[in-house]
């Protein structure tokens, strides 16, 4: 997926064989062939990811009633605002207008330059934060593999720990190498592998939960979640509940790629009509899957559900290892998909500002045996290496899985999933200010803003608390 502002690409008819039929769309790009089925699959792939790992913990904090209710409400809000967002792929008419290729492009057309810049801050801030979150999640996956093997070899009473820092550093070195490949996100195989891996570890997690429950393990669960005065203090309960809302919000955050997915659809029937159906299918499937993961994970572990529920399983060790290997492979590719958007934005802006600076624009061809020619750009090499070093360092300093996911969900859900779709809908349909419909939309946006602020506060509070007991650069996986 591409998230950055893309220029219109022109294709020459000379590139097409004389026997070919119509192969271009109305914008001069290669004819799109996406359907309801492919769009639904893309949505499910985009939504189901590392966020599913935290849902058992989130329900444990909120309890049966609030936890399930939160999953349902977030799914309904996401479905509603995503349906609105499908109408902004074209401008000004949702069926015959000019195409918008990205979320930011749509915001610029409908809301203007100031909100376009705010959208950019929210979108790229979320992408950078996701890079940090993926680094942390990968380290937990590697740590879980080491612990599972240790417990299998020495017994479950053994002291088995794994350094998170070393895993993050190795992951960072690998990402530095991968980041030097220009336009890495255009490699279609990357998304296929990442999607396969995410489904595999999620299904394994559900299967392990069922196995644990069937084996007679029935830890304590409750309607209100972790008990105040027994498992947590009243203050901790409040912060953890807010943080859990952020975790659920992160699990549903896919709005920033919706228009990219819609840009793959055939123009007939109208893209917005097909995308509405695909959104309904995608959100329904992911919600059912989230219910399975969260509910079964909570039943399996009870109020002591770990932040990443896969880290709570140790046997069969080979299956646990497989699940965590899938996490690592998924996030190696996902890190690049998200980071490439940031890379491209910075590099395009730099080329526009300093078009005659060799350090920024000049390419140096380097022959690599058996692989062909690699074009080295000094600015790209330095900037991308610096980016990976910074995100890896921040992950090492703040290696708090649920806190970081909660903060990402809080910061991304309201602006990208709720605020901009509602504001664009009001602008597109010219809803009269202070009318009943206008007030209803504003009330929904305001309520989601409050929830996001509470989730952000809970996650920041969790990070502050963790920093009091965990020293930076001394993090280990031990649970």
């Amino acid at each position: 997926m591409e998230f950055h502002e893309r220029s219109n690409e022109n294709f020459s008819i000379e590139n097409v064989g004389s026997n070919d039929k119509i192969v271009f769309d109305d914008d001069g790009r290669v004819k799109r062939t996406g359907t309801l089925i492919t769009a639904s699959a893309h949505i499910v792939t985009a939504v189901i990811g590392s966020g599913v790992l935290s849902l058992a913990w989130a329900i444990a904090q909120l309890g049966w009633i609030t936890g399930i209710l939160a999953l349902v409400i977030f799914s309904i809000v996401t479905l509603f605002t995503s349906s609105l967002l499908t109408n902004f792929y074209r401008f000004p008419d949702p069926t015959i207008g000019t195409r918008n290729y990205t979320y930011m492009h749509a915001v610029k057309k409908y809301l203007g330059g100031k909100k376009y810049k705010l959208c950019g801050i929210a979108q790229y801030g979320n992408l950078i934060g996701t890079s940090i979150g993926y680094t942390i999640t990968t380290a937990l996956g590697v740590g879980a593999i080491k612990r599972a093997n240790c417990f299998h070899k020495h017994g479950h009473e053994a002291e088995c720990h794994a350094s998170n820092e070393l895993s993050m550093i190795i992951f960072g070195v690998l990402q530095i190498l991968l980041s030097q490949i220009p336009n890495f996100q255009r490699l279609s195989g990357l998304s296929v592998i990442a999607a396969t891996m995410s489904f595999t570890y999620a299904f394994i997690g559900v299967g392990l939960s069922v196995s644990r429950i069937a084996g007679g393990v029935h830890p304590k669960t409750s309607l209100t979640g972790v008990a105040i005065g027994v498992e947590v203090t009243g203050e901790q309960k409040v912060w953890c509940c807010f943080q859990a809302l952020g975790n659920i919000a992160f699990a549903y955050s896919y709005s920033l790629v919706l228009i990219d997915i819609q840009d793959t659809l055939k123009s007939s029937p109208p893209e917005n009509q097909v995308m509405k159906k695909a959104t309904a299918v995608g959100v329904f499937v992911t919600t059912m899957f989230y219910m399975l993961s969260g509910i079964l994970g909570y039943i399996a572990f009870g109020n002591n559900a770990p932040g990443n529920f896969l880290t709570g399983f140790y046997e069969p060790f080979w299956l646990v290892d497989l699940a965590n290997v899938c996490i690592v492979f998924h996030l190696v590719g996902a890190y690049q998909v998200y980071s490439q958007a940031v890379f491209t934005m910075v590099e395009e802006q730099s080329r526009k500002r300093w078009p005659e600076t060799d350090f920024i624009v000049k390419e140096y061809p380097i022959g690599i045996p058996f692989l062909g020619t690699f074009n080295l750009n000094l600015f790209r090499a330095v900037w991308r290496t610096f980016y990976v070093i910074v995100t890896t360092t921040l992950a090492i300093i703040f290696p708090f899985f649920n806190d970081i996911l909660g903060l990402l969900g809080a910061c991304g859900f309201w602006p990208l999933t709720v605020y901009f779709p509602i504001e664009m809908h009001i602008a597109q349909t010219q809803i009269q200010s202070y009318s009943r419909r206008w007030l209803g939309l504003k009330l929904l946006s305001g309520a989601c803003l409050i929830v996001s602020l509470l989730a952000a506060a809970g996650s920041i509070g969790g990070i502050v608390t963790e920093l009091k007991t965990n020293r930076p650069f001394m993090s280990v996986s031990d649970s």
Side-chain angles (χ1 to χ4, degrees):
M1 295 296 176
E2 293 181 312
F3 306 91
H4 58 278
E5 191 74 25
R6 294 174 290 191
S7 58
N8 199 349
E9 300 173 35
N10 295 317
F11 292 85
S12 170
I13 193 69
E14 296 172 354
N15 293 330
V16 184
S18 59
N19 294 326
D20 289 327
K21 297 180 180 180
I22 299 174
V23 293
F24 301 115
D25 272 325
D26 53 5
D27 59 347
R29 294 191 173 193
V30 173
K31 193 171 185 66
R32 296 158 176 84
T33 59
T35 63
L36 171 62
I37 295 175
T38 62
S40 301
H42 283 315
I43 291 173
V44 173
T45 299
V47 179
I48 295 178
S50 60
V52 72
L53 301 174
S54 68
L55 293 180
W57 178 88
I59 293 180
Q61 309 313 304
L62 298 169
W64 284 120
I65 297 176
T66 308
I68 295 176
L69 188 62
L71 279 171
V72 172
I73 291 175
F74 272 101
S75 68
I76 292 173
V77 172
T78 300
L79 176 60
F80 173 68
T81 57
S82 297
S83 296
L84 296 181
L85 194 55
T86 63
N87 292 323
F88 312 132
Y89 172 62
R90 289 183 180 268
F91 174 86
D93 187 274
T95 57
I96 60 174
T98 304
R99 298 173 191 265
N100 295 311
Y101 302 113
T102 65
Y103 193 117
M104 288 180 64
H105 197 178
V107 171
K108 187 175 185 179
K109 288 288 186 68
Y110 281 99
L111 301 178
K114 290 184 178 180
K115 290 186 178 179
Y116 165 76
K117 293 178 181 178
L118 291 174
C119 177
I121 293 172
Q123 191 168 1
Y124 286 105
N126 188 268
L127 292 172
I128 294 169
T130 300
S131 298
I132 298 170
Y134 282 174
T135 304
I136 297 170
T137 310
T138 302
L140 293 178
V142 173
I145 293 172
K146 294 179 179 178
R147 292 197 316 280
N149 292 340
C150 174
F151 286 132
H152 179 73
K153 184 176 181 180
H154 301 289
H156 287 196
E157 301 303 320
E159 290 289 330
C160 295
H161 306 285
S163 170
N164 288 334
E165 279 75 22
L166 180 59
S167 299
M168 292 182 196
I169 291 172
I170 294 173
F171 181 77
V173 171
L174 177 60
Q175 293 301 339
I176 288 174
L177 297 175
L178 292 175
S179 295
Q180 306 311 314
I181 303 175
N183 300 320
F184 192 73
Q185 82 278 17
R186 293 177 186 245
L187 298 179
S188 59
L190 178 66
S191 294
V192 174
I193 293 173
T196 302
M197 294 298 102
S198 63
F199 272 103
T200 300
Y201 67 69
F203 275 115
I204 289 175
V206 170
L208 288 172
S209 296
V210 172
S211 176
R212 184 180 173 91
I213 296 167
V217 178
H218 301 293
K220 179 183 177 182
T221 64
S222 69
L223 295 177
T224 57
V226 294
I228 297 175
V230 179
E231 294 158 308
V232 293
T233 65
E235 181 181 358
Q236 289 173 330
K237 173 72 172 181
V238 171
W239 290 124
C240 286
C241 285
F242 291 161
Q243 185 182 328
L245 293 175
N247 278 217
I248 296 174
F250 178 80
Y252 276 103
S253 296
Y254 83 101
S255 296
L256 75 168
V257 299
L258 187 145
I259 290 180
D260 293 82
I261 295 172
Q262 193 167 346
D263 191 39
T264 67
L265 293 174
K266 295 186 291 187
S267 57
S268 180
E271 301 94 347
N272 64 328
Q273 294 180 17
V274 176
M275 199 63 187
K276 279 182 171 63
K277 295 177 182 179
T279 296
V281 172
V283 172
F284 176 78
V285 170
T286 53
T287 298
M288 292 301 100
F289 196 81
Y290 282 174
M291 287 288 186
L292 279 175
S293 300
I295 291 173
L296 292 175
Y298 184 36
I299 295 174
F301 293 104
N303 291 341
N304 292 320
N308 172 348
F309 83 125
L310 274 180
T311 63
F313 299 105
Y314 303 115
E315 297 290 347
F317 80 101
W318 63 268
L319 189 59
V320 175
D321 284 357
L322 175 61
N324 284 290
V325 167
C326 288
I327 291 176
V328 173
F329 273 99
H330 171 215
L331 297 183
V332 165
Y335 181 101
Q336 281 298 310
V337 171
Y338 280 78
S339 298
Q340 281 285 341
V342 183
F343 296 158
T344 303
M345 183 270 294
V346 171
E347 288 158 17
E348 286 183 352
Q349 293 300 317
S350 298
R351 283 194 294 267
K352 289 178 181 178
R353 187 164 184 177
W354 300 287
E356 298 180 358
T357 304
D358 286 348
F359 177 72
I360 294 175
V361 301
K362 191 171 182 179
E363 302 277 348
Y364 299 91
I366 299 175
I368 301 177
F370 307 110
L371 295 177
T373 302
F374 173 74
N375 290 320
L376 173 67
N377 175 274
L378 295 178
F379 175 72
R380 182 169 62 232
V382 172
W383 144 241
R384 295 186 180 195
T385 300
F386 173 76
Y387 176 88
V388 175
I389 290 174
V390 170
T391 55
T392 303
T393 302
L394 289 174
I396 291 173
I397 296 174
F398 305 106
F400 316 126
F401 178 74
N402 294 104
D403 304 293
I404 296 298
L405 290 195
L407 185 60
L408 288 173
C411 293
F413 183 76
W414 176 73
L416 298 173
T417 302
V418 180
Y419 174 75
F420 287 116
I422 286 179
E423 291 300 310
M424 286 191 284
H425 176 66
I426 291 173
Q428 183 188 59
T429 56
Q430 299 180 342
I431 299 175
Q432 185 178 356
S433 297
Y434 302 103
S435 65
R436 184 178 300 178
R437 190 177 179 188
W438 185 91
L439 288 173
L441 291 170
K442 290 291 187 179
L443 181 62
L444 173 62
S445 181
C448 290
L449 172 60
I450 292 173
V451 172
S452 292
L453 290 174
L454 292 176
S459 299
I460 293 172
I463 291 173
V464 172
T465 301
E466 292 281 4
L467 286 174
K468 292 179 180 178
T469 57
N470 291 275
R471 295 168 56 190
F473 305 103
M474 295 292 289
S475 173
V476 294
S477 295
D478 56 7
S479 62

